[in-house]
């Protein structure tokens, strides 16, 4: 239990540090150096990630575990599409509406997991998420300019992102693969999807050709740095979702947003208002509350599971308890129903 918790904390820390680092690097690349081809850059990120994992596999740092190729391909393409749609949503909407789109991912994920996976979120967890979303909304949402095309793109972006993140968690548990194994197998499909569509989408959004851009040494250095950091970002994303849940990953994402705002003010001297500060403080309260409640609920589940296990063992080892429950030693020889028939829903 202790090692598992330590691993989760390590995954969360790696995700925060790498994500904040890549945002600062990409901000310099896009805002200062004028390289505005975000989708194409993401395809390069994924390509470098795949090459890095291939080297790690060659060095036997992890084991290759092939599983359902259709699931891998569908998952990889869906992930690529969701990234492209998020970039389009940013391009066709105001920054404020785009932030609202990102905020909508948490309630949408909660709704989908409740409806299709029968996952229950307690009232206290829901309240913590509402506080968190309200705080991030106050800190980041400024203008809300609506248009039909932008709204449709945002809706599609939210839906595909939720499905992709739920699949990240579900596939790892169903096929018993690690985050590294899943990332290694899905990376080529994600990279290919964005590599094909990236130049077209970036041209549509920027009216510039990525292949005609002036690649100065400074631009190339930042692109290489961004790609190297992305290996850690992609790895930690799969690791966090696999160890926790899609909702927790989104909560972590909003923590990164608050940190990026704070770092932008301290390091880059971005404009900052009391509204930003108030929103970040509210969001932090929501995050702390969510983390605490998740920890308490997980401890309760672990306690209940160990209690039930000890009761079962006592019943199996004490024949008197078995007799009290309506069973006898003579019944022990009777054939029992196969266990898998009771759990068929989980295997489907």
């Amino acid at each position: 239990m202790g090692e598992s918790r330590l691993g989760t904390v390590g995954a969360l820390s790696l995700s925060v540090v790498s994500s904040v680092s890549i945002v600062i690097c990409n901000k310099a690349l896009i805002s200062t150096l004028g390289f505005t081809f975000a989708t194409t850059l993401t395809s390069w990120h994924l390509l470098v990630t795949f090459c890095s994992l291939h080297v790690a596999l060659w060095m036997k740092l992890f084991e290759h575990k092939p599983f359902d190729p259709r699931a891998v391909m569908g998952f990889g393409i869906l992930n690529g599409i969701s990234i492209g749609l998020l970039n389009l949503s940013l391009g066709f909407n105001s920054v404020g509406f785009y932030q609202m789109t990102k905020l909508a991912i948490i309630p949408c994920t909660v709704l989908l997991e409740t409806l299709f996976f029968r996952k229950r979120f307690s009232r206290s967890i829901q309240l913590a998420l509402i506080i968190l979303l309200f705080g991030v909304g106050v800190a980041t949402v400024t203008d809300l300019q609506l248009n039909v095309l932008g709204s449709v793109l945002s809706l599609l972006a939210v839906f595909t992102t939720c499905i992709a993140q739920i699949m990240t968690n579900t596939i790892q548990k169903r096929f018993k693969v690690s985050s590294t194994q899943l990332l290694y197998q899905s990376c080529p499909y994600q990279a290919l999807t964005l590599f094909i569509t990236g130049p077209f989408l970036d041209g549509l959004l920027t009216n510039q050709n990525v292949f005609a851009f002036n690649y100065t040494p400074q631009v190339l250095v930042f692109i290489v740095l961004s790609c190297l950091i992305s290996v850690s970002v992609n790895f930690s994303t799969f690791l966090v979702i696999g160890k926790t849940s899609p909702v927790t990953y989104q909560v972590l994402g909003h923590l990164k947003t608050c940190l990026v705002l704070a770092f932008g003010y301290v390091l880059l001297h971005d404009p900052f208002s009391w509204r930003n500060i108030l929103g970040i403080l509210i969001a932090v309260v929501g995050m702390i509350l969510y983390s605490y409640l998740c920890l308490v609920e997980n401890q309760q589940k672990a306690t209940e599971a160990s209690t039930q296990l000890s009761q079962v063992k006592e019943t199996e080892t004490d024949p008197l308890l078995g007799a009290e429950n309506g069973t006898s030693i003579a019944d022990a020889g009777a054939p029992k129903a196969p266990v898998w028939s009771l759990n068929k829903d989980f295997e489907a």
Side-chain angles (χ1 to χ4, degrees):
M1 181 67 72
E3 289 182 2
S4 175
R5 191 172 296 169
L6 190 64
T8 303
V9 171
L12 294 170
S13 304
L14 178 64
S15 181
V16 170
V17 172
S18 57
S19 295
V20 172
S21 300
I22 202 169
V23 166
I24 293 172
C25 178
N26 288 349
K27 187 166 185 177
L29 187 59
I30 292 170
S31 302
T32 308
L33 301 175
F35 188 85
T36 55
F37 310 102
T39 310
T40 304
L41 180 63
T42 306
S43 71
W44 297 345
H45 286 171
L46 290 164
L47 188 62
V48 171
T49 299
F50 175 72
C51 293
S52 303
L53 289 175
H54 196 69
V55 172
L57 180 65
W58 177 71
M59 295 173 66
K60 296 182 179 179
L61 296 177
F62 73 96
E63 182 184 351
H64 180 44
K65 185 180 179 181
F67 60 98
D68 190 350
R70 288 181 298 178
V72 174
M73 184 171 69
F75 169 70
I77 292 173
L78 180 65
N79 247 324
I81 290 172
S82 71
I83 293 169
L85 285 170
L86 279 170
N87 287 338
L88 281 173
S89 173
L90 177 58
F92 283 92
N93 289 303
S94 64
V95 175
F97 192 81
Y98 175 71
Q99 289 296 339
M100 283 296 294
T101 299
K102 290 173 70 177
L103 291 177
I105 293 174
I106 283 184
C108 182
T109 304
V110 169
L111 180 64
L112 289 174
E113 288 198 307
T114 303
L115 290 176
F116 298 104
F117 294 89
R118 296 175 183 177
K119 186 172 181 179
R120 293 183 179 179
F121 295 87
S122 65
R123 290 287 176 87
S124 50
I125 289 281
Q126 292 174 15
L127 177 62
L129 290 173
I130 290 170
I131 294 171
L132 162 68
L133 294 175
F134 176 72
V136 177
V138 169
T140 61
V141 177
T142 50
D143 55 328
L144 285 176
Q145 300 172 11
L146 302 178
N147 65 81
V148 176
L149 179 60
S151 300
V152 171
L153 288 170
S154 293
L155 191 64
L156 291 172
V158 169
F159 184 72
T160 53
T161 301
C162 291
I163 295 295
Q165 291 182 358
I166 290 172
M167 283 181 69
T168 303
N169 183 273
T170 307
I171 287 175
Q172 289 185 55
K173 286 179 169 56
R174 182 179 177 186
F175 294 102
K176 293 181 174 59
V177 293
S178 68
S179 55
T180 313
Q181 291 166 334
L182 177 58
L183 181 60
Y184 175 70
Q185 293 183 65
S186 63
C187 239
Y189 297 106
Q190 294 183 61
L192 188 63
T193 302
L194 293 175
F195 196 76
I196 293 171
T197 60
F200 170 73
L201 293 179
D202 289 333
L204 187 67
L205 295 171
T206 64
N207 294 320
Q208 295 181 40
N209 186 348
V210 65
F211 301 110
F213 187 78
N214 180 25
Y215 290 91
T216 63
Q218 194 176 10
V219 170
L220 291 173
V221 166
F222 272 91
I223 288 175
V224 170
L225 182 61
S226 179
C227 287
L228 291 175
I229 299 172
S230 74
V231 176
S232 177
V233 173
N234 290 322
F235 174 70
S236 62
T237 296
F238 280 58
L239 194 62
V240 167
I241 296 176
K243 283 185 172 291
T244 56
S245 71
V247 173
T248 299
Y249 175 72
Q250 284 300 322
V251 170
L252 189 70
H254 292 307
L255 169 61
K256 298 171 196 172
T257 301
C258 293
L259 287 174
V260 167
L261 284 172
F263 277 119
Y265 173 70
V266 174
L267 300 178
L268 305 175
H269 305 292
D270 288 343
F272 214 63
S273 66
W274 283 107
R275 177 178 167 174
N276 297 130
I277 296 171
L278 177 64
I280 289 174
L281 290 175
I282 295 172
V284 168
V285 169
M287 288 171 206
I288 293 171
L289 188 59
Y290 174 81
S291 302
Y292 171 74
L293 292 170
C294 283
L295 185 64
V296 169
E297 289 190 5
N298 287 336
Q299 286 176 341
Q300 288 176 347
K301 287 177 184 176
T303 304
E304 289 171 5
S306 61
T307 304
Q308 289 174 357
L309 186 62
S310 62
Q311 287 176 348
V312 169
K313 285 182 178 178
E314 286 174 7
T315 305
E316 288 176 347
T317 54
D318 193 334
L320 292 177
L321 286 176
E324 286 176 5
N325 290 328
T327 60
S328 65
I329 298 173
D331 293 330
K336 296 180 181 179
V339 176
W340 54 263
S341 64
L342 301 174
N343 297 326
K344 60 185 178 181
D345 292 335
F346 296 99
E347 300 295 332

